[in-house]
Amino acid sequence: MSSEPLQSIVVETTPFDDQKPGTSGLRKKVKVFMQKNYTENFVQCIFDALGCKLKGSTLIVGGDGRYFSKPAINTIIRIASANEVSKLIIGQLGIFSTPAVSALIRQHKVLGGIVLTASHNPGGIRNDFGIKYNIENGGPAPDQISNSIYELTKKITQYKTTPTLETDRLIDILGTSKFNVNGRDFTVEIIDSTKNYVALMKEIFDFHKLRALIRGTDSRPPFSILIDSMNGVTGVYVRNIFVEELGASPDNNVRRVVPLDNFGEIHPDPNLTYAKDLVDALQENASYDFGAAFDGDGDRNMILGKNAFFVTPSDSLAVLANNLECIPYFKKNGVHGFARSMPTAAAVDRVAAKLGKEMFEVPTGWKYFGNLMDAGRLSLCGEESFGTGSDHIREKDGIWAVLAWLSVIEHKKMGVEEILKEHWKLYGRNYFTRYDYEECETEGANLLIENLEKLLTEGTLVGKSYTAQGKSYKVAKADNFSYVDPIDNSVAQNQGIRILFEDGSRLIYRLSGTGSSGATIRVYIECYEKEDVLTDAQVMLKPLVEIGLEISQLKKFTQREEPTVIT
Ligand code: VG1
Ligand code: CO
């Protein structure tokens, strides 16, 4: 390709005041990113935050292929070339799942990666886009780096770019292009989106056994699966892994496996509300033994059994923790500690206690797991928000979670529901539900949190009893969760209001940090039962839900009668 010398230029710009990264990167409406210099400013600030490490570095770039990905990648190429980055490794057509980016950063031992995604948020011209920076270990940038990026966005005055660098169709074709920018070499390598990731999964799992499970053997009928990519990026990985490698049927075992830049106008979030299609398919067709869905960028997963039997992510984590020995990766590397985010139900804690493993409780967001993994103290972790993963990478990993579940099923020769029932019998059951009130008025949502904080400072909650539907709960402790990282002692404060009851039940309130408009309030409700483990979760948690609404006065502050999503 073009080898004639190119010159970069400096472009004057002015700051935007809304470029604060949230729980996982900067997420805004596409229209916001399309504003003149908006994307350029943010990308330049990422580079400025990296300081002298940037010079001569290699970065991985790619994302879930949502609308605006291509122009954003072209902008990144031009700005990177002008900022003395020496090489970009980009997925063909800009496609990489979030777990695949994490894996590539680690495999190539590069400085980091830029992930273009707004994850489970809807895509398309009227919806969301996002940019996230991942560091050397493959994980999302820690708060300290995100904060310095944000500080820079507030005062940026110029960015550097190479406008004459021809990006037209550059990312469409596999191969390496070399440029000469300001007398330096700048390389763009376009690689296959799935190859490295598929190889990694083959190292971790026993594909022969999984293939036998899915295809069936002389002594065992095929285990019938239905994998739903929800038109997100996992489509390409699912076709490769489940159809080509594991022998699943492209017609009957997978669905929505062509990534679309607007996700077919659906909300690519694998939960009971937004993946209702999959739930219905499993309920209508009882021959399916297993169902799974992923979000837009492939880091979330939902696991269902026969007749759409639902596995809460908190239970999913606990079951995997209890059965890791059947996965070759853990046989080889051993199992160190476990961890969960604070709002995630504590089912895995019981497994950790029984197996004598270290257990960590971190704030919401995958970035808090990375240090523990790097220190060799954490092997498996999860979040209630459909995130499960291990120390094979530093992001949650939807496809990994499904392969892990299939490995457990293959090993135990049991179905999903049976496995859960056995687990509850052994450990008791943590009932969990989450109520989401999406896109509320920001003012009301803030007032709700302020009011709860007031109750905390007044100290009136502790010792108080609440009764609903004949059940009483006494408050043992109430606080705003803060976390000290055991490895680098960094502190994360105000991570969610917790009301902890004497019997171990919990109510948690926090505002979402991934939305792009209005405020989303999340209420997490959990209780534990040692004996009566087969009641429906919504029935079991009804009294606590009522109490949770009463304490927070949610209806008054939000004018909402019902949540938008119940999980
Ligand atoms: C949500 C989830 C959180 C998850 C985050 C990113 O954050 O609650 O557990 O880590 O999304 O997931 P929030 O701040 O909206 O509650 V993803 O798949 O959107 O990268
Ligand atoms: Co995601």
Side-chain angles (χ1 to χ4, degrees), residues 79-112:
I79 296 184
S81 74
N83 278 274
E84 302 188 28
V85 171
S86 83
K87 183 173 179 182
L88 295 180
I89 300 176
I90 308 177
Q92 190 174 21
L93 300 170
I95 294 276
F96 278 142
S97 71
T98 294
V101 173
S102 187
L104 281 163
I105 293 172
R106 298 172 67 74
Q107 283 161 0
H108 288 268
K109 295 191 169 48
V110 299
L111 179 65

Side-chain angles (χ1 to χ4, degrees), residues 497-516:
I497 288 164
R498 308 192 290 179
I499 302 179
L500 312 174
F501 297 93
E502 280 185 348
D503 72 343
S505 301
R506 304 191 303 164
L507 283 172
I508 291 145
Y509 306 84
R510 55 181 287 283
L511 295 181
S512 157
T514 56
S516 64

Side-chain angles (χ1 to χ4, degrees), residues 24 27 64 98 117-121 132 268 270 295-300 396:
S24 194
R27 296 184 192 180
D64 58 16
T98 294
T117 175
S119 192
H120 61 287
N121 299 14
K132 170 167 117 160
D295 69 338
D297 65 326
D299 53 0
R300 296 185 177 204
K396 52 191 187 271

Side-chain angles (χ1 to χ4, degrees), residues 20 27 78 129 144 170 176 314 319 327 339 350 407 438 533:
K20 187 174 168 54
R27 296 184 192 180
R78 291 201 179 104
F129 188 71
Q144 176 219 339
L170 182 60
T176 301
S314 308
V319 167
I327 298 171
R350 297 171 198 285
S407 304
E438 296 171 311
V533 292

